[in-house]
Amino acid sequence: MPAPDTIVLIHGFWVTPRSWEHWISHYESKGFKVLAPAYPGLEVEVESLRADPTPIAELTVPKIIDHLASVIAELEAPPILIGHSAGGAFTQLLLDRGIGAVGVALNSAPTEGVRVVPLSQLKSTFPVFKNPANRHRAVPIDFEQWNYAFTNTFTEEESRALYERYAIPVNGGIVWGGVLANFQPGHQDTWVDYDNDDRAPLLFVSGGEDHIMPPAVQHSNAKHYKSKTVTEVKDYPGFAHLLPAQEGWQQIADDVLDWALRHAG
């Protein structure tokens, strides 16, 4: 099978596809077609979503996955999937559906069954969990919360600039659902078949200083996979959650692309 010529970048929560802006040009300069689809309803600019977060409040995981799957279905051949944070969990769900030639999950949100919850993760997500009413609305993030959860290794100047450029509210219902999934009967929205031998290879990338999705979460998620298919973890000490925007991201982008091309099936 020829090597994939298309890369699909899947953004996480609290940001939009704008967060991939430098990765898009980086991969395009290497000759790849690059797509960075927004979640349904989030195709508008960051500033519009801050002014009216209604599209965020209306999101569900099935809506997001179905939309991403429909975008990928238009491609002539299975692409490389690279997801960040919640996008990492969505990458896992897509691979489990048989979508994609290979997947990379950067500082991934956990899929169902991962019960490791470090204190830094609790602190990072407290703005959502502090109020049960947040299950039914879009929840904004202030600069202090952003700096702790996303950019704790950045200078304050860098962190503020990225907050102004990227930050949007999050769908509180999906965040709550991700936690409650481990305490409800039956499969929930973020369930994957960890024994699926037909899944494409998957690489977890873990930033060593990530507060909201720390290394313990990445390694626990990876260990859940029992299938014969390749599942690996690569650690990057010194990197925070917003790894795609941290100085040195180019090396990570190149490393994961090399890994993806070697493992694409």
Side-chain angles (χ1 to χ4, degrees), residues 65-120:
I65 296 300
D66 288 347
H67 175 68
L68 295 173
S70 69
V71 171
I72 296 169
E74 297 294 320
L75 301 175
E76 293 183 358
I80 296 169
L81 306 181
I82 300 177
H84 172 243
S85 193
F90 299 150
T91 295
Q92 296 181 61
L93 268 64
L94 290 167
L95 293 181
D96 191 42
R97 283 192 182 190
I99 298 170
V102 63
V104 178
L106 309 174
N107 288 339
S108 182
T111 43
E112 185 177 334
V114 178
R115 296 173 181 262
V116 173
V117 186
L119 287 176
S120 68

Side-chain angles (χ1 to χ4, degrees), residues 196-212:
N196 182 2
D197 289 332
D198 296 325
R199 168 182 60 78
L202 171 62
L203 172 66
F204 286 88
V205 168
S206 177
E209 302 301 322
D210 187 345
H211 278 168
I212 191 169

